[in-house]
Amino acid sequence: MGSDINFYFDPICPFAWMTSKWIRIVRAQRDYTVDWRFISLRLINAHLDYDSHFPPGYEAQHQAGLRLLRVASAVREKHGREAIGPLYAAFGARIHETGPDESRAPGWQGTPDLAAAALAEAGLPASLVEFLDDPSRDAEIQAESDEALSLTGKDVGTPIVHFEPPGGVAFFGPVISRLPDEKQAAELWDHVIGLARFPGFAELKRSLREQLQLPSSGVTEQETGKVEDWHAGSRRLKK
């Protein structure tokens, strides 16, 4: 049986995390099925020189996301696709739902301690942390990343959402900085689906983004995050 939504995520991406929280609200209301799939920011940016294209620390963060996806790949193989949703939720709670801490080194998100705690919360064996450093998993993750980009084109970021696969349309986003309530979540979903179902629709975009209302961004639910300009779909350095 197929899914209603294929959601391609990198666990390190806060925008993917916020969108996934919204989709989980919609799923509970509309009884959708979601197949949580992989896309690696580290692998899709492998051709770039990180020092000239990104701020300091991005390579370590993207590598941490790849390390966690290796664990997720092993989980999917050994425990089934249905185990990925709870694991992604456990990763996200530890990465994005904690406040900023300047004492943490870039790449802290991919440590064995974090991965083991997330695995335990998801009811999975902590021993699967051994796959953090298993590059044999990268071919599968690369293939799934390529699959996602084949649905949208390459000038996109994460997440990628494939509506009503295999025949439906896929898009990057939607990128949202605030989590809607239940009513707003359903309304937003209906608007996005309406656009996705129009065969000629390709893009609706702005590069100005509020900082996410997430503890990891230091923005509370009562605050509006500072507006930033994300050129080229990511916080890359201008040349």
Coordinates of all heavy atoms in Angstrom, one line a residue, residues 72-166:
A72 N 19.4 5.9 10.4 CA 18.0 5.7 10.0 C 17.9 4.7 8.9 O 17.0 3.9 8.8 CB 17.5 7.1 9.5
S73 N 18.9 4.7 8.0 CA 19.0 3.7 6.9 C 19.0 2.3 7.5 O 18.3 1.4 7.1 CB 20.2 3.9 6.0 OG 20.4 2.9 5.1
A74 N 19.8 2.1 8.5 CA 19.9 0.8 9.2 C 18.6 0.4 9.9 O 18.2 -0.7 9.8 CB 21.1 0.8 10.1
V75 N 18.0 1.4 10.5 CA 16.8 1.2 11.2 C 15.7 0.7 10.2 O 14.9 -0.2 10.4 CB 16.3 2.5 11.9 CG1 14.8 2.4 12.3 CG2 17.2 2.7 13.1
R76 N 15.6 1.4 9.1 CA 14.6 1.0 8.1 C 14.8 -0.4 7.5 O 13.9 -1.1 7.3 CB 14.7 2.1 6.9 CG 13.5 1.9 5.9 CD 13.4 3.1 5.0 NE 14.5 3.2 4.1 CZ 14.7 4.2 3.2 NH1 13.8 5.1 3.1 NH2 15.8 4.2 2.4
E77 N 16.1 -0.7 7.4 CA 16.4 -2.1 6.9 C 16.0 -3.1 7.9 O 15.4 -4.2 7.5 CB 17.9 -2.2 6.6 CG 18.3 -3.6 6.1 CD 19.8 -3.8 6.0 OE1 20.4 -2.8 5.5 OE2 20.3 -4.8 6.3
K78 N 16.3 -2.9 9.2 CA 16.1 -3.9 10.2 C 14.8 -3.9 10.9 O 14.3 -4.9 11.4 CB 17.2 -3.8 11.2 CG 18.6 -3.9 10.6 CD 19.7 -3.6 11.6 CE 21.1 -3.7 11.0 NZ 21.4 -5.0 10.4
H79 N 14.1 -2.7 10.9 CA 12.9 -2.6 11.7 C 11.7 -2.0 10.9 O 10.6 -1.9 11.4 CB 13.1 -1.6 12.9 CG 14.1 -2.2 13.8 ND1 13.8 -3.1 14.8 CD2 15.5 -2.0 13.9 CE1 14.9 -3.4 15.5 NE2 15.9 -2.8 15.0
G80 N 11.9 -1.8 9.6 CA 10.8 -1.4 8.7 C 10.6 0.1 8.6 O 11.1 0.9 9.4
R81 N 9.9 0.5 7.5 CA 9.7 1.9 7.2 C 8.9 2.6 8.3 O 9.1 3.8 8.5 CB 9.0 2.1 5.9 CG 9.6 1.3 4.7 CD 9.0 1.7 3.4 NE 9.5 2.9 2.8 CZ 10.5 3.0 2.1 NH1 11.3 2.0 1.8 NH2 10.9 4.2 1.6
E82 N 8.0 1.9 9.0 CA 7.2 2.5 10.0 C 8.0 3.0 11.2 O 7.5 3.8 12.0 CB 6.1 1.6 10.4 CG 6.6 0.3 11.1 CD 7.0 -0.8 10.2 OE1 7.0 -0.6 9.0 OE2 7.4 -1.9 10.7
A83 N 9.2 2.6 11.3 CA 10.1 3.0 12.5 C 10.7 4.3 12.2 O 11.2 4.9 13.2 CB 11.2 1.9 12.7
I84 N 10.7 4.8 11.0 CA 11.4 6.1 10.7 C 10.7 7.3 11.3 O 11.4 8.2 11.8 CB 11.7 6.2 9.2 CG1 12.5 5.0 8.7 CG2 12.4 7.5 8.9 CD1 13.8 4.9 9.4
G85 N 9.4 7.4 11.2 CA 8.7 8.5 11.8 C 9.0 8.8 13.2 O 9.4 9.9 13.6
P86 N 8.9 7.8 14.1 CA 9.3 8.0 15.5 C 10.7 8.3 15.7 O 11.1 9.1 16.6 CB 8.9 6.6 16.2 CG 7.8 6.0 15.3 CD 8.2 6.5 13.9
L87 N 11.6 7.7 14.9 CA 13.0 8.0 15.1 C 13.3 9.5 14.7 O 14.1 10.2 15.4 CB 13.9 7.1 14.2 CG 15.4 7.3 14.2 CD1 15.9 7.1 15.7 CD2 16.1 6.4 13.2
Y88 N 12.7 9.9 13.6 CA 12.9 11.3 13.1 C 12.4 12.3 14.2 O 13.0 13.3 14.5 CB 12.2 11.6 11.8 CG 12.3 13.0 11.3 CD1 13.4 13.8 11.6 CD2 11.3 13.5 10.4 CE1 13.4 15.1 11.0 CE2 11.4 14.7 9.9 CZ 12.4 15.5 10.2 OH 12.5 16.8 9.7
A89 N 11.2 11.9 14.8 CA 10.7 12.8 15.9 C 11.7 12.8 17.1 O 11.8 13.9 17.7 CB 9.3 12.2 16.4
A90 N 12.3 11.7 17.4 CA 13.3 11.7 18.5 C 14.5 12.5 18.2 O 15.1 13.2 19.0 CB 13.6 10.2 18.9
F91 N 15.0 12.4 16.9 CA 16.1 13.2 16.5 C 15.8 14.7 16.6 O 16.5 15.5 17.2 CB 16.5 12.9 15.0 CG 17.3 11.6 14.8 CD1 17.2 11.0 13.6 CD2 18.1 11.1 15.8 CE1 17.9 9.8 13.3 CE2 18.8 9.9 15.5 CZ 18.7 9.3 14.3
G92 N 14.6 15.0 16.1 CA 14.2 16.4 16.0 C 14.1 17.0 17.4 O 14.4 18.2 17.6
A93 N 13.5 16.3 18.4 CA 13.3 16.8 19.7 C 14.6 17.2 20.3 O 14.7 18.2 21.1 CB 12.6 15.7 20.6
R94 N 15.7 16.4 20.1 CA 17.0 16.6 20.7 C 17.8 17.7 19.9 O 18.6 18.4 20.5 CB 17.8 15.3 20.7 CG 17.3 14.4 21.8 CD 17.7 13.0 21.6 NE 17.2 12.2 22.7 CZ 15.9 11.9 22.9 NH1 15.0 12.2 22.0 NH2 15.5 11.2 24.0
I95 N 17.5 17.9 18.6 CA 18.3 18.8 17.8 C 17.6 20.2 17.8 O 18.3 21.2 18.0 CB 18.5 18.3 16.4 CG1 19.3 17.0 16.4 CG2 19.1 19.3 15.5 CD1 19.4 16.3 15.1
H96 N 16.3 20.2 17.6 CA 15.6 21.5 17.3 C 14.8 22.0 18.5 O 14.4 23.2 18.5 CB 14.7 21.3 16.1 CG 15.5 20.8 14.9 ND1 16.5 21.5 14.3 CD2 15.4 19.7 14.2 CE1 17.0 20.8 13.3 NE2 16.3 19.7 13.2
E97 N 14.5 21.1 19.5 CA 13.6 21.6 20.6 C 14.4 21.9 21.8 O 13.9 21.9 22.9 CB 12.5 20.5 20.8 CG 11.7 20.2 19.6 CD 10.8 21.4 19.2 OE1 10.6 22.3 20.0 OE2 10.3 21.4 18.1
T98 N 15.7 22.1 21.7 CA 16.6 22.5 22.8 C 17.2 23.8 22.5 O 17.4 24.2 21.3 CB 17.7 21.5 23.0 OG1 18.5 21.4 21.8 CG2 17.2 20.1 23.3
G99 N 17.4 24.6 23.5 CA 17.9 26.0 23.3 C 19.3 26.0 22.7 O 20.1 25.0 22.8
P100 N 19.7 27.1 22.1 CA 21.1 27.3 21.6 C 22.1 27.2 22.8 O 21.9 27.6 23.9 CB 21.1 28.6 21.0 CG 20.0 29.4 21.6 CD 19.0 28.4 21.9
D101 N 23.3 26.6 22.5 CA 24.3 26.4 23.5 C 25.7 26.6 22.7 O 26.1 25.7 22.0 CB 24.2 25.0 24.1 CG 25.3 24.7 25.2 OD1 26.2 25.6 25.3 OD2 25.2 23.7 25.8
E102 N 26.3 27.7 23.0 CA 27.5 28.1 22.3 C 28.7 27.2 22.7 O 29.7 27.2 22.0 CB 27.9 29.5 22.6 CG 26.9 30.5 22.0 CD 27.3 32.0 22.2 OE1 28.3 32.2 22.8 OE2 26.6 32.9 21.7
S103 N 28.5 26.4 23.8 CA 29.6 25.5 24.2 C 29.7 24.3 23.3 O 30.7 23.5 23.3 CB 29.5 25.1 25.6 OG 28.3 24.3 25.8
R104 N 28.6 24.0 22.5 CA 28.6 22.8 21.7 C 29.4 23.0 20.4 O 29.2 24.1 19.8 CB 27.2 22.4 21.4 CG 26.4 21.9 22.6 CD 25.0 21.4 22.3 NE 24.2 22.4 21.7 CZ 22.9 22.5 22.0 NH1 22.3 21.6 22.8 NH2 22.2 23.4 21.4
A105 N 30.2 22.1 20.0 CA 31.0 22.2 18.8 C 30.1 21.9 17.6 O 29.2 21.1 17.7 CB 32.2 21.3 18.8
P106 N 30.4 22.5 16.4 CA 29.6 22.2 15.2 C 29.7 20.7 15.0 O 30.7 20.0 15.1 CB 30.3 22.9 14.1 CG 31.0 24.1 14.8 CD 31.4 23.6 16.2
G107 N 28.5 20.1 14.7 CA 28.5 18.7 14.4 C 28.0 17.9 15.7 O 27.9 16.6 15.6
W108 N 27.7 18.6 16.8 CA 27.3 17.9 18.0 C 26.0 17.0 17.8 O 25.8 16.1 18.5 CB 27.0 18.9 19.1 CG 25.9 19.9 18.8 CD1 26.0 21.1 18.2 CD2 24.5 19.7 19.1 NE1 24.7 21.7 18.1 CE2 23.8 20.8 18.6 CE3 23.7 18.6 19.7 CZ2 22.4 21.0 18.8 CZ3 22.4 18.8 19.8 CH2 21.7 20.0 19.3
Q109 N 25.3 17.4 16.7 CA 24.0 16.7 16.5 C 24.2 15.2 16.0 O 23.3 14.4 16.1 CB 23.2 17.4 15.4 CG 22.9 18.9 15.7 CD 23.9 19.8 15.1 OE1 25.1 19.5 14.9 NE2 23.5 21.0 14.8
G110 N 25.4 14.9 15.6 CA 25.7 13.6 15.1 C 26.5 12.7 16.0 O 27.2 11.7 15.6
T111 N 26.5 13.0 17.3 CA 27.3 12.3 18.3 C 26.6 11.0 18.7 O 25.4 10.8 18.6 CB 27.5 13.1 19.6 OG1 26.2 13.4 20.1 CG2 28.3 14.4 19.3
P112 N 27.4 10.0 19.1 CA 26.8 8.7 19.5 C 25.8 8.9 20.7 O 24.8 8.1 20.7 CB 28.0 7.9 19.9 CG 29.1 8.4 19.1 CD 28.8 9.9 19.0
D113 N 26.1 9.8 21.6 CA 25.2 9.9 22.8 C 23.8 10.4 22.3 O 22.8 9.9 22.8 CB 25.7 10.9 23.8 CG 26.9 10.4 24.6 OD1 27.1 9.1 24.5 OD2 27.6 11.2 25.2
L114 N 23.8 11.4 21.4 CA 22.5 11.9 20.9 C 21.7 10.8 20.1 O 20.5 10.6 20.3 CB 22.7 13.1 20.0 CG 21.4 13.8 19.6 CD1 21.6 15.3 19.5 CD2 20.9 13.3 18.2
A115 N 22.5 10.1 19.3 CA 21.8 9.0 18.5 C 21.3 7.9 19.4 O 20.2 7.4 19.1 CB 22.8 8.5 17.5
A116 N 22.1 7.5 20.4 CA 21.6 6.4 21.2 C 20.4 6.8 22.0 O 19.5 6.0 22.2 CB 22.8 6.1 22.2
A117 N 20.3 8.1 22.5 CA 19.2 8.5 23.3 C 17.9 8.6 22.4 O 16.8 8.2 22.8 CB 19.4 9.9 23.8
A118 N 18.1 9.0 21.1 CA 17.0 9.0 20.2 C 16.5 7.6 19.8 O 15.3 7.4 19.8 CB 17.4 9.8 18.9
L119 N 17.4 6.7 19.6 CA 17.0 5.3 19.3 C 16.2 4.8 20.5 O 15.2 4.1 20.3 CB 18.3 4.5 19.1 CG 19.0 4.7 17.7 CD1 20.4 4.2 17.7 CD2 18.2 4.1 16.6
A120 N 16.7 5.0 21.7 CA 16.0 4.5 22.9 C 14.6 5.0 23.0 O 13.7 4.3 23.3 CB 16.8 4.8 24.2
E121 N 14.5 6.3 22.8 CA 13.1 6.9 22.8 C 12.2 6.3 21.8 O 11.0 6.2 22.0 CB 13.2 8.4 22.6 CG 11.8 9.1 22.7 CD 11.9 10.6 22.5 OE1 12.9 11.2 23.0 OE2 11.0 11.2 21.9
A122 N 12.7 6.0 20.6 CA 11.9 5.4 19.5 C 11.7 3.9 19.7 O 11.1 3.3 18.9 CB 12.6 5.7 18.2
G123 N 12.2 3.4 20.8 CA 12.0 1.9 21.1 C 12.9 1.0 20.2 O 12.6 -0.1 19.9
L124 N 14.1 1.6 19.9 CA 15.0 0.8 19.0 C 16.3 0.6 19.7 O 16.7 1.3 20.6 CB 15.3 1.7 17.7 CG 14.1 1.9 16.8 CD1 14.3 3.1 15.9 CD2 13.7 0.7 16.1
P125 N 17.1 -0.5 19.3 CA 18.3 -0.8 20.0 C 19.4 0.3 19.9 O 19.7 0.8 18.8 CB 18.8 -2.1 19.2 CG 17.6 -2.6 18.6 CD 16.7 -1.4 18.2
A126 N 19.9 0.7 21.0 CA 20.9 1.7 21.0 C 22.2 1.3 20.3 O 23.0 2.1 19.9 CB 21.3 2.1 22.5
S127 N 22.4 0.0 20.1 CA 23.5 -0.6 19.4 C 23.6 -0.1 18.0 O 24.7 -0.2 17.4 CB 23.5 -2.1 19.5 OG 22.4 -2.6 18.8
L128 N 22.5 0.4 17.4 CA 22.5 0.9 16.0 C 23.3 2.1 15.8 O 23.5 2.5 14.7 CB 21.1 1.1 15.6 CG 20.2 -0.2 15.4 CD1 18.8 0.2 15.2 CD2 20.7 -1.0 14.2
V129 N 23.8 2.7 16.9 CA 24.7 3.9 16.8 C 26.0 3.5 16.0 O 26.7 4.4 15.5 CB 25.1 4.5 18.1 CG1 23.9 5.0 18.8 CG2 25.9 3.5 19.0
E130 N 26.3 2.2 15.9 CA 27.5 1.8 15.2 C 27.5 2.2 13.7 O 28.5 2.2 13.1 CB 27.7 0.3 15.3 CG 26.6 -0.5 14.6 CD 26.8 -2.1 14.8 OE1 27.8 -2.4 15.3 OE2 25.9 -2.8 14.3
F131 N 26.3 2.5 13.2 CA 26.1 2.8 11.8 C 26.4 4.3 11.5 O 26.4 4.7 10.3 CB 24.7 2.4 11.3 CG 24.6 0.9 11.2 CD1 23.9 0.3 12.2 CD2 25.1 0.2 10.1 CE1 23.7 -1.1 12.2 CE2 24.9 -1.2 10.1 CZ 24.2 -1.8 11.1
L132 N 26.6 5.1 12.5 CA 27.0 6.5 12.3 C 28.2 6.7 11.4 O 28.2 7.6 10.6 CB 27.3 7.2 13.7 CG 26.2 7.5 14.6 CD1 26.7 7.9 16.0 CD2 25.3 8.7 14.1
D133 N 29.1 5.8 11.5 CA 30.4 5.9 10.7 C 30.5 4.8 9.7 O 31.6 4.4 9.3 CB 31.6 5.8 11.7 CG 31.6 6.9 12.6 OD1 31.5 8.1 12.2 OD2 31.8 6.7 13.9
D134 N 29.3 4.4 9.1 CA 29.3 3.3 8.1 C 29.0 3.9 6.8 O 27.8 4.1 6.4 CB 28.2 2.3 8.5 CG 28.2 1.1 7.5 OD1 29.0 1.1 6.6 OD2 27.3 0.3 7.6
P135 N 30.0 4.3 6.0 CA 29.8 4.9 4.7 C 29.2 4.0 3.7 O 28.7 4.5 2.6 CB 31.2 5.3 4.2 CG 32.1 4.3 5.0 CD 31.5 4.1 6.3
S136 N 29.1 2.7 4.0 CA 28.4 1.8 3.0 C 26.9 2.2 2.9 O 26.2 1.7 1.9 CB 28.5 0.3 3.5 OG 27.8 0.1 4.6
R137 N 26.4 2.9 3.9 CA 25.0 3.4 3.8 C 24.8 4.6 2.9 O 23.7 4.9 2.5 CB 24.5 3.8 5.2 CG 24.5 2.6 6.2 CD 23.2 1.9 6.1 NE 23.3 0.5 6.6 CZ 22.4 -0.4 6.5 NH1 21.3 -0.1 5.9 NH2 22.6 -1.6 7.0
D138 N 25.9 5.2 2.5 CA 25.8 6.4 1.7 C 25.2 6.2 0.3 O 24.5 7.2 -0.2 CB 27.1 7.1 1.6 CG 27.6 7.6 3.0 OD1 26.9 7.4 4.0 OD2 28.8 8.2 3.0
A139 N 25.4 5.1 -0.3 CA 24.9 4.9 -1.6 C 23.4 4.9 -1.6 O 22.8 5.5 -2.5 CB 25.4 3.6 -2.2
E140 N 22.8 4.3 -0.6 CA 21.3 4.3 -0.5 C 20.8 5.7 -0.3 O 19.8 6.1 -0.9 CB 20.9 3.3 0.6 CG 19.4 3.4 0.8 CD 18.9 2.6 2.1 OE1 19.8 2.4 3.0 OE2 17.8 2.2 2.2
I141 N 21.5 6.4 0.6 CA 21.1 7.8 0.9 C 21.2 8.7 -0.3 O 20.4 9.5 -0.6 CB 21.8 8.3 2.2 CG1 21.6 7.4 3.4 CG2 21.5 9.8 2.4 CD1 22.5 7.6 4.5
Q142 N 22.3 8.5 -1.0 CA 22.5 9.3 -2.2 C 21.4 9.0 -3.2 O 20.9 9.9 -3.9 CB 23.9 8.9 -2.8 CG 24.2 9.7 -4.1 CD 24.5 11.2 -3.9 OE1 25.6 11.5 -3.3 NE2 23.7 12.1 -4.3
A143 N 21.1 7.7 -3.4 CA 20.1 7.4 -4.4 C 18.7 8.0 -4.0 O 18.0 8.5 -4.9 CB 19.9 5.8 -4.5
E144 N 18.4 8.0 -2.7 CA 17.1 8.6 -2.3 C 17.2 10.1 -2.4 O 16.2 10.7 -2.8 CB 16.8 8.2 -0.9 CG 15.3 8.2 -0.6 CD 14.9 7.1 0.4 OE1 15.0 5.9 0.0 OE2 14.5 7.4 1.5
S145 N 18.3 10.7 -2.2 CA 18.5 12.2 -2.4 C 18.3 12.5 -3.9 O 17.6 13.5 -4.2 CB 19.9 12.6 -1.9 OG 20.1 12.3 -0.5
D146 N 18.9 11.7 -4.7 CA 18.8 11.9 -6.2 C 17.3 11.7 -6.6 O 16.8 12.5 -7.5 CB 19.7 10.9 -7.0 CG 21.1 11.2 -6.8 OD1 21.5 12.3 -6.3 OD2 21.9 10.3 -7.1
E147 N 16.6 10.8 -6.0 CA 15.2 10.5 -6.3 C 14.4 11.8 -6.0 O 13.6 12.2 -6.8 CB 14.7 9.4 -5.5 CG 13.2 9.1 -5.6 CD 12.8 8.0 -4.6 OE1 13.2 6.8 -4.9 OE2 12.2 8.3 -3.6
A148 N 14.7 12.4 -4.8 CA 13.9 13.6 -4.4 C 14.2 14.7 -5.4 O 13.2 15.4 -5.8 CB 14.4 14.0 -3.0
L149 N 15.5 14.9 -5.8 CA 15.8 16.0 -6.7 C 15.3 15.8 -8.1 O 15.0 16.7 -8.8 CB 17.3 16.3 -6.7 CG 17.9 16.7 -5.4 CD1 19.4 16.9 -5.5 CD2 17.2 18.0 -4.9
S150 N 15.1 14.5 -8.5 CA 14.5 14.2 -9.8 C 13.1 14.6 -9.9 O 12.5 14.8 -11.0 CB 14.7 12.7 -10.1 OG 13.7 11.9 -9.4
L151 N 12.4 14.8 -8.7 CA 11.0 15.1 -8.7 C 10.8 16.7 -8.7 O 9.7 17.1 -9.0 CB 10.4 14.6 -7.4 CG 10.3 13.1 -7.3 CD1 9.9 12.7 -5.9 CD2 9.3 12.5 -8.3
T152 N 11.8 17.4 -8.3 CA 11.7 18.9 -8.2 C 12.6 19.7 -9.1 O 12.4 20.9 -9.3 CB 12.0 19.3 -6.7 OG1 13.3 18.9 -6.4 CG2 11.0 18.6 -5.8
G153 N 13.7 19.1 -9.5 CA 14.9 19.9 -10.0 C 15.9 20.1 -8.9 O 15.6 19.9 -7.7
K154 N 17.0 20.6 -9.3 CA 18.2 20.6 -8.3 C 18.3 21.9 -7.5 O 19.0 21.9 -6.5 CB 19.5 20.3 -9.1 CG 19.5 18.9 -9.6 CD 20.9 18.6 -10.3 CE 20.9 17.2 -10.8 NZ 22.2 16.9 -11.5
D155 N 17.6 23.0 -8.0 CA 17.8 24.3 -7.3 C 16.8 24.4 -6.2 O 15.9 25.3 -6.1 CB 17.6 25.4 -8.3 CG 18.0 26.8 -7.6 OD1 18.7 26.8 -6.6 OD2 17.5 27.8 -8.2
V156 N 16.8 23.5 -5.2 CA 15.9 23.5 -4.1 C 16.7 23.1 -2.8 O 17.9 22.7 -2.8 CB 14.8 22.4 -4.3 CG1 13.9 22.8 -5.5 CG2 15.3 21.0 -4.5
G157 N 16.0 23.1 -1.7 CA 16.5 22.7 -0.4 C 15.7 21.6 0.2 O 15.1 20.8 -0.5
T158 N 15.7 21.5 1.5 CA 14.9 20.6 2.2 C 13.9 21.3 3.1 O 14.2 22.4 3.6 CB 15.7 19.6 3.0 OG1 16.5 20.4 4.0 CG2 16.7 18.9 2.2
P159 N 12.7 20.7 3.3 CA 12.3 19.3 2.9 C 11.7 19.3 1.5 O 11.5 20.4 0.9 CB 11.2 19.0 3.9 CG 10.5 20.3 4.1 CD 11.6 21.3 4.1
I160 N 11.6 18.2 0.9 CA 10.9 18.0 -0.3 C 9.7 17.1 0.0 O 9.8 16.0 0.7 CB 11.7 17.3 -1.4 CG1 12.8 18.3 -1.9 CG2 10.9 16.8 -2.6 CD1 13.8 17.8 -2.9
V161 N 8.5 17.6 -0.4 CA 7.2 16.8 -0.1 C 6.7 16.4 -1.5 O 6.4 17.2 -2.4 CB 6.2 17.7 0.6 CG1 4.9 17.0 0.9 CG2 6.8 18.2 1.9
H162 N 6.4 15.1 -1.6 CA 5.8 14.5 -2.8 C 4.4 14.2 -2.5 O 4.1 13.3 -1.6 CB 6.6 13.3 -3.2 CG 6.2 12.7 -4.5 ND1 6.7 11.5 -5.0 CD2 5.3 13.2 -5.5 CE1 6.1 11.3 -6.2 NE2 5.3 12.3 -6.5
F163 N 3.4 14.9 -3.1 CA 2.0 14.7 -2.8 C 1.5 13.6 -3.7 O 1.7 13.6 -4.9 CB 1.3 16.0 -3.1 CG 1.7 17.2 -2.3 CD1 2.7 18.1 -2.8 CD2 1.2 17.4 -1.0 CE1 3.1 19.2 -2.0 CE2 1.7 18.5 -0.3 CZ 2.6 19.4 -0.8
E164 N 0.7 12.7 -3.0 CA 0.0 11.7 -3.7 C 0.9 10.9 -4.7 O 0.6 10.9 -5.9 CB -1.2 12.2 -4.5 CG -2.2 12.9 -3.5 CD -3.3 13.6 -4.2 OE1 -3.2 13.9 -5.4 OE2 -4.3 14.0 -3.5
P165 N 2.0 10.4 -4.2 CA 2.9 9.6 -5.1 C 2.3 8.3 -5.6 O 1.3 7.8 -5.0 CB 4.1 9.3 -4.2 CG 3.5 9.3 -2.8 CD 2.4 10.3 -2.8
P166 N 2.7 7.8 -6.7 CA 3.9 8.2 -7.5 C 3.5 9.3 -8.5 O 4.4 9.9 -9.1 CB 4.3 6.9 -8.2 CG 3.1 6.2 -8.4 CD 2.2 6.4 -7.2

